Amino acid sequence: MHFHLQEAIEVLERTPQALALFLSGLSAGWLQSNEGEGTWTVTQVVDHFIEAERTNWIPRLEFILQEGEGKPFPPFDRFAHLGKKDDASVERKLEQFKELRALSIAKLLERMSEEKLLECTGYHPAFGVVKARELISTWVAHDLTHIAQIARIMAKRYSADVGPWKAYLGILK
Amino acid sequence: MHFHLQEAIEVLERTPQALALFLSGLSAGWLQSNEGEGTWTVTQVVDHFIEAERTNWIPRLEFILQEGEGKPFPPFDRFAHLGKKDDASVERKLEQFKELRALSIAKLLERMSEEKLLECTGYHPAFGVVKARELISTWVAHDLTHIAQIARIMAKRYSADVGPWKAYLGILK
């Protein structure tokens, strides 16, 4: 086990800024590219970050603190962002993500003001009993998952362009 | 095929800055973590970026322009950085990567001053004939591969901490 709240926050606070730096100003070809039918574009991954920030992490943490194990928390719809039409630029979306994340971290610090609160438990509709510290760890791993996904989507855009080097690039398989 | 030199450069110029933002100031726990025995730490991936910048991309591009298909280019040692002892901080290493990358991009623009130069061919010791444009595409995909690797290494640090959510996090498998 490696979880420490402060180290988790180190990652959470960097994600929106690093993404803003990496994606702002990129050509539409990069931002609209995906991994094939039924997969997300880079921009849709950003939409998903925003949706999760709004409806998943802090709301679930607060649900745990309020309800304990007595009531399962409402399932998070991982595809909700796909049904919403949002034509804002990726720069605007990343700005929005940055603002939401800053608020989330402020609330996280407020709610987890004591070490022992990390051990609070709630009830996940599919998994059963879960701890606040597991939810926060998942938040971090979820950020990293989608950073890796963005890099993979973009790499795959050049699957044919790399020619024979494809053999050395595991990410393209 | 999607390759355009200007779009490739969009990614190449962002990589060191985005990594600097994401990794500078992180706790040693993140930077020294790896995926198990025989795998790279986050810091070793940064070392590899520096090594590739020094000995792979521009040197190979210049080799193609000078030698054509007549002479295979020397193989790139993907593990060279593991044999070198470099105790500089990750912040210093990222600064160095940024400087090297800026020089590489300047040279790339200088060498590829005309569209037709992208079609120049060289001889890869394992693959045979390769084009300049394939080498540059590979450079981009290589950046993205190692960004994804860094995210994956870091996510795996929390493999146990996420508890039952592991089932939803493909990156941890």
Side-chain angles (χ1 to χ4, degrees):
Chain A
M1 295 287 214
H2 296 283
F3 178 81
H4 286 285
L5 184 59
Q6 197 43 53
E7 287 185 3
I9 291 174
E10 286 175 10
V11 177
L12 294 176
E13 66 190 3
R14 280 165 173 76
T15 300
Q17 300 178 47
L19 282 181
L21 212 155
F22 198 60
L23 302 178
S24 295
L26 278 187
S27 295
W30 291 120
L31 298 171
Q32 300 310 322
S33 128
N34 67 14
E35 298 175 74
E37 211 186 314
T39 65
W40 297 359
T41 64
V42 170
T43 306
Q44 284 174 327
V45 179
V46 175
D47 291 338
H48 171 71
F49 268 116
I50 292 171
E51 185 70 20
E53 208 63 22
R54 281 211 180 103
T55 66
N56 192 350
W57 309 113
I58 292 295
R60 281 194 165 179
L61 187 68
E62 294 183 327
F63 201 92
I64 288 176
L65 294 175
Q66 278 159 33
E67 307 288 344
E69 298 177 24
K71 197 169 151 187
F73 31 77
F76 169 60
D77 178 0
R78 283 182 282 169
F79 305 100
H81 66 283
L82 300 179
K84 295 184 180 170
K85 191 82 191 143
D86 180 357
D87 293 331
S89 68
V90 80
E91 290 79 11
R92 177 68 204 108
K93 288 176 180 187
L94 289 162
E95 194 53 45
Q96 196 182 1
F97 177 37
K98 205 188 289 189
E99 289 161 14
L100 288 167
R101 177 57 59 91
L103 289 172
S104 297
I105 292 175
K107 279 196 186 161
L108 175 61
L109 285 165
E110 199 181 303
R111 299 288 180 264
M112 296 290 111
S113 57
E114 288 177 75
E115 189 78 13
K116 67 174 188 219
L117 291 166
L118 294 166
E119 308 305 324
C120 286
T121 50
Y123 199 86
H124 186 285
F127 303 138
V129 177
V130 288
K131 290 183 177 179
R133 58 186 294 141
E134 291 170 344
L135 177 67
I136 304 165
S137 301
T138 302
W139 189 359
V140 173
H142 179 269
D143 269 24
L144 295 164
T145 293
H146 290 292
I147 289 170
Q149 180 187 14
I150 285 172
R152 192 181 67 229
I153 297 169
M154 291 173 67
K156 284 190 179 170
R157 184 163 182 247
Y158 276 1
S159 285
D161 299 276
V162 298
W165 269 287
K166 191 167 180 175
Y168 285 179
L169 293 162
I171 202 170
L172 302 182
K173 276 156 209 161
Chain B
M1 295 287 215
H2 296 285
F3 178 81
H4 286 286
L5 183 60
Q6 195 45 53
E7 287 184 3
I9 290 174
E10 285 174 10
V11 177
L12 295 176
E13 67 189 3
R14 280 164 173 77
T15 300
Q17 301 178 47
L19 283 180
L21 213 156
F22 198 59
L23 302 178
S24 295
L26 279 187
S27 295
W30 291 120
L31 297 171
Q32 300 310 324
S33 130
N34 66 16
E35 296 175 76
E37 211 188 313
T39 65
W40 297 358
T41 64
V42 171
T43 305
Q44 284 174 326
V45 179
V46 175
D47 291 338
H48 171 72
F49 268 117
I50 291 171
E51 185 70 21
E53 208 62 23
R54 281 210 181 105
T55 65
N56 192 349
W57 309 114
I58 292 295
R60 281 195 166 179
L61 188 67
E62 293 184 328
F63 201 91
I64 288 176
L65 294 175
Q66 278 159 32
E67 307 288 343
E69 297 175 26
K71 197 168 151 187
F73 31 79
F76 168 59
D77 178 0
R78 283 183 281 169
F79 305 100
H81 66 284
L82 300 178
K84 295 185 182 171
K85 190 85 191 140
D86 179 358
D87 293 332
S89 67
V90 79
E91 289 79 10
R92 177 67 204 110
K93 288 176 180 187
L94 289 162
E95 194 52 47
Q96 196 182 1
F97 176 37
K98 206 188 289 188
E99 288 161 15
L100 288 167
R101 178 57 59 92
L103 289 173
S104 296
I105 292 175
K107 278 196 187 161
L108 175 61
L109 286 166
E110 201 180 302
R111 300 288 180 265
M112 297 291 111
S113 56
E114 288 176 75
E115 189 79 13
K116 67 173 188 218
L117 291 166
L118 294 166
E119 308 305 325
C120 286
T121 50
Y123 200 86
H124 186 285
F127 302 140
V129 177
V130 289
K131 289 183 177 178
R133 58 187 295 142
E134 291 170 344
L135 177 67
I136 304 165
S137 301
T138 301
W139 189 0
V140 173
H142 178 269
D143 270 23
L144 296 163
T145 292
H146 290 292
I147 290 171
Q149 181 187 13
I150 286 173
R152 192 182 68 230
I153 296 168
M154 292 174 65
K156 284 190 178 169
R157 185 164 181 245
Y158 275 1
S159 285
D161 300 275
V162 299
W165 269 287
K166 191 168 180 174
Y168 285 179
L169 293 161
I171 201 170
L172 302 182
K173 277 154 208 161

